[in-house]
Amino acid sequence: MIEKERIIPRIILILQALLRRLPLNHPKLHMITEELGKRMAGFKGETALDYSLSFLDPKKYFILHDLRIPHKESFFQMDTLLITSKFILIIEVKYLAGTA
């Protein structure tokens, strides 16, 4: 059962909105486009994992996406947390384009 759904990260929405508003000759346009590409690749990798996890029995597995847990003065982030009666699995997703 998916306890916390995955949503499009706010930073992606911000970067997309910024690119729509910047002139094509803006000096930071290339840097912002690259950052958006990296963020989109990461989100694509996470959603690709979601497809595989969708085959798990929702009565046996609890799935939490994009957790941000406070720890002392900062936060700890997990892409996906899979919980069963036998174990807890932290899944960190990396999406690599090209040949690895």
Side-chain angles (χ1 to χ4, degrees), residues 7-26:
I7 59 171
I8 297 175
R10 184 179 306 211
I11 187 68
I12 288 177
L13 299 174
I14 291 169
L15 291 171
Q16 288 173 334
L18 182 58
L19 283 177
R20 284 193 303 268
R21 289 165 174 80
L22 283 178
L24 295 177
N25 62 350
H26 194 279

Side-chain angles (χ1 to χ4, degrees), residues 81-99:
L81 185 66
L82 179 68
I83 303 172
T84 74
S85 61
K86 306 225 186 260
F87 65 91
I88 296 174
L89 179 64
I90 299 171
I91 303 173
E92 181 66 25
V93 178
K94 296 295 176 212
Y95 185 80
L96 302 174
T99 304

